[in-house]
C-alpha cells in the first residue's frame, strides 16, 4: 500500500498548464520558478511517501480515541506531526513575515495533494490550520496576528473551523452559539459545535478555534454572525500558555472513514464561558468565513484528487500482480495479469483520466489564485480572481464527486479482495465519501456556482472561459492529428452544451428558480467535465509538441491517450447533461412531498 | 431505521408488467393469482419488517464472530432464522414434493427483495440455500435428493456454494481442489475454498456445501471440474446426523459491509479427507454451477434493488425531518424540511427512479422464468427462456451498479450525519459494494451478455426485445400525453443506440475482441437502462389508463412522474454510451501496461 507521488504529472501541469514562468515573474515569487517547484516537490514526496503514507492504514485500524475529554491521536501521528512542522510544511504558502515560506499556490497545491494522498486523515489537521491562518491574515487585528500567527504557521499550534451546530449545517443562518462582550474587549462564548475536525487532540501544544457565534443583541440570520478566536489554552502576554479555556471535547464521532481524524463535539462555556476574541468587526463573521472557505474548498477538492490518485495507484499495482483468465483476443494461451483485460483497462483509464483531468484543472485554478494576488495589473488581477472563484466550486464539487467513482472503481478492480478491509482499497472509498459533504456539500457548491459565480456577473466569467476553450479547439484543429480532432469534437460539443446551460441559468434563475436549482448539480458536473477536459486537451497539445521533439516519449504518449480517453468517455456525457438540465427539470420537482 | 415493504409497487409490477393472470394460467400455478400474491406479500412484509429489519443494524455493530473454528452469528439471528424456517419462507419457490410452496418466481422475487431490504446479511443465508437446492434439483441423484432436499427446503439445514480459491476467482479454470474416488462411490475432497458466504455458522443443524473440485486425473481447465455435496455433518441412513466431516472454517473475513454474514475460509481434508458425493456426472460441475448461477445472479440483482429501496426510504425520512434553509423560490420565509429543496428532490427522484426501474425489470424477468418453466408451448418456453437469460446479467450487473449510486446518494442526502455510522445510511453503501462483485463481477456479467446472450444467437434475442420496445413506443405515441411523448422520444433514442451496439457486438467480437470487450460494461449499462426504462414506460401507460378511471390517483401520478424522470435523467445517457462504445474503444486499450 505504498504511495509514489506523481511528481512528473504535477510538474507537467505546473510548467505547461499553470505556466510557472509567469508565476515566477510576479512580485514576491521571483525565486519560485520551475527549479524551486522541482526541489520542493521532491522533498515533499520524500516526506509524504516515507513518513505519512505508512501511517494511513494504521489510522484506519486505530482511530484517534477519546477518554474523559482527552483525544489521543493514532499512534505515530504525534511524532509525524512534529516532523511535518519541523520540515516547514505548514508554512509553505504562508507569509515569510510570520515564518512561512511564501511559495505560490501553484507549487503549494501539489504538496497539499501529496500530503492528502499519503494520509487524508492526517492532512486534515494542517488543512484546518491553513483556514485559521487565512482568517487571521484576512481580518485579524495586529494583536491577534502577533499572538497566534507565528505558532500556527510553524505548526507549534493547530487551528480549527467551528461552524456547524446540530440545527445549523448547510444553513448557517441558524447558528445559535452566543458571545457576551466583557469589559476588557474580550467575549465569553457559549454553545455547542459539532463536526469539528481535529477539534481536540494531543499533537500540538495549543488549538486555536475559529468560532462562529452571535454577539448578544445581534440581528437574526446570517447578518448577525461574528467570528471569534477561542484558544484551547489562553495565551499570556509573553506568549506562554496560560489557563485552560472553557471549551471541552465531550465526544468524537464514529465515522465511515477518515477515522484517524477526530471529529469533535465541542462544548463552549459550560463552566462560566469560554474566553474569545473578536476577529475583525462584529456581524461580519460569515464574510470572513467565506474567504477562508474558498481556500478550504479548494483544499478539499485537492483531497478528492489525492484520494483518487492513491486509489488509482493501488488498483494499478493489483491489476499488474493478479493473474486471472486468458486474454479475450487469444494473444496468450495462459492466464495473464488482469491489467491485460480490456474492462480492467477501462476501469484504470477511467480512474487515471478523472484524476489527471481534475489535477490539471486544479493546477490552473491555483495559478489564477497567484496571479489574482500578485499581478501588478488590476484588471488582470480581477479577471484571474473571477476565473479562480469560478473554478473553486468545480475543484471542490466535481473533484470530490469523481473521487467517489474512482475509489469505488478501485475496489472493483480488486474484485472480492477489494471488499476485505485488510486489502486497503475500501478505505479510500470510505474516506472519499466525506469529501462531497464537508466544507459545503456538492449541492452547496452548485448553489455557489449558480448564484455567486454565474448569475452575479451575468455569465461573463463563464462565457470568457468558453472563449478560451475556442482557442484550444482551434489549436487542436491546427494540430490535425486523429487524437486532437477527436478531442476537439467532444470539447466543442461540451462547450456548446455548457453555454446553453449558462444562458438558461442567467435567464431563468429569477423566474424559474426551482427549474434552475433542479439542474444545479448537473450544471456543476457539466462545467467540471468541461474545464477538466479542456485542460487535458491543452495537455495533449503540449504533449504532441514535446513528442515531436522526442522529449519524454512514453509520458507524452500516455498523456495524449489519457486526454483522448477523457474526451471519449467522460466529456462525451456533456450533451445529455445539458438535455437533462434544459428539458428534464419538470420531473425533478413534480412529485408531491407526500408521494415520496 | 425501520423498513416498510413497497407492497403496492410490487403488486403493480406483478399485476400489470409481469402479468400474474397469465402466470396463474400456467399448469401448477393455478392458485398463484393476484389474491395469492397479495396475501403472500402481506405476510412477507409483516415478517421482514417485524423480525429481520430490526436486526440489520445490530448485525453491522456485532458481526458474526469466529472462535476456534466455531462461528457464532450476530445475537438474534439464530432465533430469526428459526422463525424464517418455521414461516416456510425458505421453501417459497421450491417444489411441493420436498415441502416447498411451489410459488412462481413472479411472486417469490418480491419476497426475496423484502428479505434483503430488511436484512441483507441475513438474507444471504437462504439465498445460498436456494442455490444448493437448485443444484440438487437440477443434477442430484435420487439418493442425494432424498437425503438433503427436504431439510434444505424446510430451513432445517442451510446450503453454500464453494467456487472461489485464492488463485481462482473469476477464472474458475484455475480451481485446484481435488476429489479422490473411494471404493464406495463417495469421494474424499481436499483443498482450500475462500469467500464462502455463511460457510460456517450456528443457525442450523447442518450445512450442505456444494463444492467444485477436480477428480483425480480429470482434464485441466473448466472441463475437468466436478460438483460435490460435502455436508458439515455426515447423514446417517435414517436421516439423523452422523460424524463431523473433515471441512473446517479456519477464519472469517473482516469486511467493508454485510458484516453479519460470515465469509469463511474453508479447509477441506486436512484430517484425512472430507467425504463428498458427486452431483450429476464427473467433469460437468461448471455446467451445473451455471444453472444455479443464473438463479443466484438474479437473486443478487434483487439484493441491489433491495438495498436501494432501503436507502431510499431512509433518505426520504431524513429529508422530511431535517429542517434547513429557506426554499429557493421564496415560497416560505422560514427554513423548511430539505425535501422541499430541488437538489434534494433530484437526489431522491434519482434513487426512486433507479429502484423502481430495476424492480420493474426484475419483475418481467421473473415472469419470463415462470413461463419458460411451465408453459405448455415449447416455442413460448424457449423464447421466454432466452428473454429471461438475456435479462439475468442486466438484473445482476445493472441493478447492483445502480444500487451503489443510490446508496451513495442516500448518504449524501443525510449530509454530515450520513458519514456518522450510527445514522445507518453508510451501512447501505458499505453493504451494496459487494453486490457488484460476488456471483460474478459486473465485468463477468458483461462478458456473459456479450458472449452467451448476444453473440451466440447472432443478436436475435436483443433484436426481439427492441421490436417489443417499438410496440411500447407506438402505444406511447397513441397516448399522446406530454409525459408519454417525452418518454417515447428517449426510449426510441435509447433503443436505436442499443441496436447499434448490438450490431457492433455481433459483427466485431470475433474480429476486434478487444474493442468489443472495452465496451462490454458500457453495453451492459446501456441495455440495463433501456430495459428498465422500457418497463417504466409500460408502467406509465398502465398508470395513465388507471388514472383515467380514477383508480389510486396519487400512486398513478407518482408512477408517471417517476417514469418521466427516468427517461429524462437516466435513459437520456444511452446515446453517449453508444458513442463511447463505438467511437471510444481505441483509447481504452492504447496505453501500454508499463505506462499505467
Amino acid at each position: 500500500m505504498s504511495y509514489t507521488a506523481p511528481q512528473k504529472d504535477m510538474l507537467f501541469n505546473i510548467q505547461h498548464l499553470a505556466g510557472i514562468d509567469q508565476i515566477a515573474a510576479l512580485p514576491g515569487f521571483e525565486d519560485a520558478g520551475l527549479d524551486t517547484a522541482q526541489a520542493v516537490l521532491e522533498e515533499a514526496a520524500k516526506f509524504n511517501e516515507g513518513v505519512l503514507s505508512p501511517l494511513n492504514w494504521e489510522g484506519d485500524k486505530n482511530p484517534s480515541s477519546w477518554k474523559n475529554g482527552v483525544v489521543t491521536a493514532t499512534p505515530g501521528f504525534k511524532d509525524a506531526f512534529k516532523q511535518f512542522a519541523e520540515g516547514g510544511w505548514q508554512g509553505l504558502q504562508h507569509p515569510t513575515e510570520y515564518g512561512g515560506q511564501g511559495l505560490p499556490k501553484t507549487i503549494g497545491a501539489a504538496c497539499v495533494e501529496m500530503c492528502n494522498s499519503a494520509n487524508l486523515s492526517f492532512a486534515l489537521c494542517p488543512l484546518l490550520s491553513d483556514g485559521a491562518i487565512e482568517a487571521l491574515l484576512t481580518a485579524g487585528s495586529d494583536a491577534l496576528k502577533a499572538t497566534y500567527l507565528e505558532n500556527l504557521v510553524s505548526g507549534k499550534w493547530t487551528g480549527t473551523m467551528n461552524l456547524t451546530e446540530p440545527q445549523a449545517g448547510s444553513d448557517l443562518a441558524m447558528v445559535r452559539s452566543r458571545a457576551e462582550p466583557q469589559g476588557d474587549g474580550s467575549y465569553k462564548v457559549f454553545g455547542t459545535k459539532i463536526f469539528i475536525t481535529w477539534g481536540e487532540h494531543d499533537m500540538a501544544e495549543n488549538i486555536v478555534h475559529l468560532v462562529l457565534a452571535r454577539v448578544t443583541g445581534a440581528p437574526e440570520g446570517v447578518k448577525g454572525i461574528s467570528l471569534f478566536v477561542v484558544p484551547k489554552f489562553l495565551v499570556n502576554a509573553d506568549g506562554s500558555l496560560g489557563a485552560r479555556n472553557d471549551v471541552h471535547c465531550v465526544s468524537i464521532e464514529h465515522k465511515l472513514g477518515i477515522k484517524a481524524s477526530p471529529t469533535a463535539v465541542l462544548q463552549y462555556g459550560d463552566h462560566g464561558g469560554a474566553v474569545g476574541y473578536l476577529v475583525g468587526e462584529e456581524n461580519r463573521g460569515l464574510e470572513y468565513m467565506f474567504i477562508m472557505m474558498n481556500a478550504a474548498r479548494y483544499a478539499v477538492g485537492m483531497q478528492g484528487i489525492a484520494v483518487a490518485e492513491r486509489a488509482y495507484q493501488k488498483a494499478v499495482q493489483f491489476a499488474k500482480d493478479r493473474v486471472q483468465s486468458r486474454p479475450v483476443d487469444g494473444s496468450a494461451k495462459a492466464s495473464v495479469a488482469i491489467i491485460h483485460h480490456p474492462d480492467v483497462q477501462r476501469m484504470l483509464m477511467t480512474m487515471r483520466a478523472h484524476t489527471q483531468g481534475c489535477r490539471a484543472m486544479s493546477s490552473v485554478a491555483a495559478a489564477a489564485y497567484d496571479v489574482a494576488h500578485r499581478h501588478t495589473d488590476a484588471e488582470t488581477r480581477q479577471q484571474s480572481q473571477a476565473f479562480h472563484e469560478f473554478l473553486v466550486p468545480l475543484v471542490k464539487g466535481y473533484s470530490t464527486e469523481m473521487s467517489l467513482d474512482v475509489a469505488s472503481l478501485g475496489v472493483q478492480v480488486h474484485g472480492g479482495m477489494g471488499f476485505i478491509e485488510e486489502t486497503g482499497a475500501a478505505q479510500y472509498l470510505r474516506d472519499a465519501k466525506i469529501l462531497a459533504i464537508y466544507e459545503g456539500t456538492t449541492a452547496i457548491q452548485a448553489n455557489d456556482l449558480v448564484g455567486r459565480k454565474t448569475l452575479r456577473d451575468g455569465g461573463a466569467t463563464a462565457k470568457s472561459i468558453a472563449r478560451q476553450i475556442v482557442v484550444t479547439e482551434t489549436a487542436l484543429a491546427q494540430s490535425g492529428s486523429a487524437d486532437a480532432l477527436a478531442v476537439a469534437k467532444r470539447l466543442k460539443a461540451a462547450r456548446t452544451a455548457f453555454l446553453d446551460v449558462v444562458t438558461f441559468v442567467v435567464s431563468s434563475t429569477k423566474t424559474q428558480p426551482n427549474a434552475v436549482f433542479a439542474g444545479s448539480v448537473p450544471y456543476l458536473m457539466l462545467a467540471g467535465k468541461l474545464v477538466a477536459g479542456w485542460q487535458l486537451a491543452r495537455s495533449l497539445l503540449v504533449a504532441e509538441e514535446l513528442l515531436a521533439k522526442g522529449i519524454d516519449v512514453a509520458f507524452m504518449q500516455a498523456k495524449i491517450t489519457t486526454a483522448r480517453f477523457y474526451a471519449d468517455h467522460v466529456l462525451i456525457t456533456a450533451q445529455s447533461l445539458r438535455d437533462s438540465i434544459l428539458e428534464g427539470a419538470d420531473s425533478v420537482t413534480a412529485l408531491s412531498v407526500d408521494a415520496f
Side-chain angles (χ1 to χ4, degrees), chain A:
Chain A
M1 294 191 226
S2 69
Y3 161 69
T4 307
Q7 291 182 59
K8 203 174 228 180
D9 198 53
M10 289 168 165
L11 286 168
F12 178 92
N13 293 343
I14 288 173
Q15 184 176 5
H16 300 294
L17 302 182
I20 189 70
D21 289 353
Q22 283 137 291
I23 302 298
L26 298 170
F29 286 156
E30 292 81 1
D31 296 333
L34 187 60
D35 289 351
T36 302
Q38 242 159 349
V40 171
L41 264 60
E42 203 172 315
E43 278 308 303
K46 214 178 290 173
F47 176 73
N48 289 301
E49 292 168 5
V51 177
L52 297 187
S53 170
L55 290 171
N56 187 49
W57 168 237
E58 182 62 27
D60 198 65
K61 269 187 308 185
N62 295 310
S64 292
S65 58
W66 179 96
K67 196 174 173 189
N68 298 329
V70 175
V71 173
T72 307
T74 296
F77 271 45
K78 187 175 178 174
D79 181 58
F81 190 75
K82 193 160 166 272
Q83 294 182 56
F84 179 85
E86 286 168 0
W89 297 109
Q90 183 72 63
L92 207 65
Q93 296 173 63
H94 297 301
T96 49
E97 80 180 281
Y98 296 105
Q101 304 195 35
L103 284 174
K105 199 179 189 82
T106 306
I107 297 173
C111 300
V112 168
E113 184 195 317
M114 285 186 202
C115 186
N116 279 289
S117 279
N119 198 322
L120 200 65
S121 282
F122 179 96
L124 275 163
C125 192
L127 189 156
L128 271 301
S129 293
D130 282 341
I133 292 166
E134 203 79 45
L136 290 172
L137 285 171
T138 301
S141 64
D142 289 345
L144 285 179
K145 286 180 184 169
T147 308
Y148 295 100
L149 275 176
E150 204 169 314
N151 283 334
L152 282 168
V153 169
S154 72
K156 195 173 171 190
W157 299 348
T158 69
T160 71
M161 284 167 70
N162 288 236
L163 288 72
T164 306
E165 300 178 8
Q167 77 294 344
S170 296
D171 186 4
L172 291 172
M174 297 176 89
V175 160
R176 277 191 214 138
S177 290
R178 60 197 177 78
E180 293 176 1
Q182 305 297 301
D184 62 354
S186 74
Y187 293 75
K188 287 222 163 164
V189 178
F190 302 87
T192 302
K193 293 287 180 178
I194 64 168
F195 295 165
I196 309 308
T197 300
W198 286 100
E200 180 55 48
H201 61 84
D202 63 346
M203 300 206 300
E205 293 173 14
N206 202 3
I207 302 175
V208 182
H209 302 295
L210 276 284
V211 184
L212 289 184
R214 290 179 191 284
V215 175
T216 320
E220 289 199 8
V222 294
K223 287 176 182 166
I225 297 174
S226 305
L227 182 62
F228 297 88
V229 164
V230 183
K232 176 176 169 185
F233 289 100
L234 299 178
V235 181
N236 298 322
D238 65 354
S240 64
L241 293 185
R244 182 73 166 80
N245 206 350
D246 186 10
V247 44
H248 297 280
C249 175
V250 295
S251 65
I252 63 174
E253 307 290 353
H254 171 221
K255 307 189 302 293
L256 175 62
I258 53 163
K259 296 189 180 187
S261 158
T263 301
V265 177
L266 293 184
Q267 199 66 34
Y268 287 84
D270 275 7
H271 309 284
V275 178
Y277 309 98
L278 183 68
V279 178
E281 299 172 24
E282 280 188 8
N283 300 332
R284 292 182 61 187
L286 215 64
E287 185 186 321
Y288 307 141
M289 203 54 109
F290 263 109
I291 295 170
M292 287 165 58
M293 220 134 51
N294 265 330
R297 287 174 172 180
Y298 179 90
V300 173
M302 295 308 303
Q303 295 195 298
I305 297 162
V307 75
E309 172 68 33
R310 185 89 191 241
Y312 168 73
Q313 289 191 15
K314 182 153 184 59
V316 166
Q317 196 55 56
F318 183 84
K320 286 181 176 176
D321 290 346
R322 172 74 171 169
V323 172
Q324 199 79 172
S325 301
R326 283 181 286 181
V328 290
D329 63 3
S331 57
K333 287 288 169 211
S335 297
V336 292
I338 62 171
I339 199 167
H340 292 280
H341 299 315
D343 187 66
V344 174
Q345 291 170 346
R346 181 190 62 80
M347 291 193 278
L348 295 177
M349 283 304 298
T350 304
M351 299 172 78
R352 176 188 179 90
H354 270 308
T355 308
Q356 291 194 9
C358 286
R359 181 182 293 127
M361 172 167 70
S362 73
S363 195
V364 297
Y369 177 93
D370 291 328
V371 173
H373 282 73
R374 299 282 181 135
H375 205 280
T376 50
D377 177 53
E379 200 186 318
T380 305
R381 283 202 304 275
Q382 188 268 322
Q383 280 171 358
S384 294
Q385 182 64 22
F387 180 73
H388 174 74
E389 287 187 1
F390 191 91
L391 259 55
V392 166
L394 310 187
V395 170
K396 202 291 185 181
Y398 183 65
S399 304
T400 61
E401 290 287 342
M402 79 85 193
S403 78
L404 274 173
D405 290 340
V406 168
S408 184
L409 281 172
V411 175
Q412 191 71 19
V413 168
H414 287 78
M417 289 305 298
F419 203 65
I420 308 301
E421 285 289 6
E422 285 76 6
T423 303
Q427 186 192 349
Y428 306 136
L429 176 59
R430 290 188 285 96
D431 283 357
K433 184 64 216 177
I434 192 61
L435 305 180
I437 295 173
Y438 64 19
E439 293 297 335
T441 64
T442 305
I444 296 296
Q445 306 305 317
N447 287 354
D448 182 46
L449 180 65
V450 165
R452 286 186 203 82
K453 309 298 167 69
T454 304
L455 193 61
R456 186 179 284 178
D457 72 359
T461 304
K463 285 174 197 161
S464 99
I465 290 172
R467 281 193 300 274
Q468 294 177 64
I469 292 174
V470 173
V471 175
T472 303
E473 289 169 30
T474 307
L476 290 164
Q478 279 163 358
S479 149
S481 72
D483 288 318
L485 294 177
V487 170
K489 175 178 156 187
R490 306 290 180 211
L491 192 58
K492 184 181 175 182
R495 173 181 53 82
T496 310
F498 170 74
L499 281 173
D500 287 349
V501 175
V502 168
T503 301
F504 171 63
V505 167
V506 171
S507 68
S508 309
T509 304
K510 300 274 186 228
T511 52
Q512 310 173 52
N514 288 329
V516 169
F517 285 100
S520 58
V521 166
Y523 169 40
L524 185 149
M525 293 295 132
L526 168 52
K529 279 173 210 239
L530 175 65
V531 174
W534 168 37
Q535 294 310 320
L536 285 180
R538 289 183 63 209
S539 305
L540 177 147
L541 289 165
V542 172
E544 285 193 342
E545 206 178 304
L546 296 176
L547 197 58
K549 295 180 190 161
I551 295 171
D552 214 345
V553 172
F555 178 86
M556 299 306 159
Q557 282 174 336
K559 186 55 90 175
I560 292 167
T561 297
T562 305
R564 173 77 186 265
F565 181 93
Y566 195 92
D568 282 348
H569 297 269
V570 183
L571 201 48
I572 201 168
T573 60
Q575 179 69 33
S576 64
L577 281 167
R578 174 212 172 273
D579 293 350
S580 280
I581 296 165
L582 299 188
E583 302 170 18
D586 286 354
S587 58
V588 175
T589 54
L591 212 67
S592 73
V593 166
D594 294 341
F596 276 99

